[in-house]
Amino acid sequence: LSLVVLISGGGSNLRALLEASEDAEFPARVVAIGADRDADGLALGEEFGIPTFTVPYSSFPDRDAWGDELLAQIQQWQPDLVVLSGLMRLVPSRVVEALSPHLINTHPAYLPEFPGAHGVRDALAAGATQTGASLIVVDNGVDAGPIIAQERIPVLPGDTETTLHDRIKPVERRLLVQAVLDIANGHVDLKELSNA
Ligand code: GRF
């Protein structure tokens, strides 16, 4: 299974996929890493010898123009699956349409709770005693697509956004690696999920 992974940040989830794919048995390979900015995680391309591309959001007149270029870059690699892993942008609907259902996203909350760009902060602000990590098939909503996998994570007294996010990320990584495995070996059928 060939993957393109899109990031905006440090790419800790991406690193987990790269490390998993170092195992010859792992049935997926990251063929390219893309970002919407000069993301720190692009350095992983150097470290693991994987091509990277950057489509700087700020270089485009609007979201659709950015999306068109992003899609063109992705399609060069003909991936079987595109993984949004810390991409902090809403993907335009025509990009979702072009890639669906082979487009999945990791989110640091127990969807449908706390969707959007600040799921960790929102859970804390709401005084939640538990939150979670979720993996979904991307649709035209915001973190509203069919859930592939998710897991509850406790919020502990004194948690900050950082301490809570640091507890969530390892779970996200585990769910993501497992989901890629399940998709590659047919245990998870994205078409079925997205038509359900
Ligand atoms: C992850 O928690 C992801 O779910 C969220 O942003 C974080 C990105 O972390 N959208 P990293 O860049 O993978 O370290």
Side-chain angles (χ1 to χ4, degrees):
L1 196 73
S2 60
L3 313 178
V4 165
V5 182
L6 302 182
I7 62 171
S8 297
S12 65
N13 284 324
L14 166 61
R15 178 181 287 281
L17 275 179
L18 293 170
E19 285 168 355
S21 59
E22 299 239 282
D23 174 348
E25 302 289 305
F26 191 69
R29 287 289 170 276
V30 177
V31 295
I33 302 166
D36 66 322
R37 67 194 76 175
D38 184 19
D40 292 348
L42 289 169
L44 289 167
E46 199 68 35
E47 186 181 333
F48 286 82
I50 292 172
T52 66
F53 60 87
T54 307
V55 185
Y57 192 80
S58 51
S59 308
F60 293 82
D62 56 45
R63 180 186 300 279
D64 281 343
W66 171 75
D68 289 348
E69 176 58 25
L70 179 72
L71 180 61
Q73 295 270 353
I74 291 167
Q75 288 177 326
Q76 273 187 0
W77 300 97
Q78 296 295 317
D80 301 310
L81 180 67
V82 179
V83 180
L84 305 183
S85 183
L87 183 74
M88 300 310 278
R89 291 272 176 218
L90 291 183
V91 174
S93 55
R94 56 179 155 202
V95 180
V96 175
E97 305 302 337
L99 297 174
S100 177
H102 309 288
L103 176 63
I104 66 175
N105 179 38
T106 61
H107 184 75
Y110 200 81
L111 292 173
E113 298 165 4
F114 311 118
H118 307 291
V120 180
R121 186 191 312 171
D122 296 345
L124 278 176
T129 54
Q130 58 174 7
T131 183
S134 305
L135 206 50
I136 61 169
V137 182
V138 176
D139 67 6
N140 281 321
V142 177
D143 297 324
I147 290 170
I148 299 169
Q150 62 182 170
E151 190 170 308
R152 277 286 183 199
I153 296 161
V155 179
L156 301 180
D159 258 338
T160 64
E161 187 173 347
T162 303
T163 59
L164 180 51
H165 210 162
D166 287 349
R167 187 175 314 116
I168 294 170
K169 281 187 177 180
V171 177
E172 276 185 285
R173 295 198 271 274
R174 179 163 40 78
L175 294 181
L176 178 56
V177 171
Q178 186 59 50
V180 168
L181 208 51
D182 291 342
I183 292 164
N185 59 32
H187 291 169
V188 164
D189 181 329
L190 293 177
K191 279 191 175 61
E192 210 175 87
L193 259 181
S194 61
N195 292 333

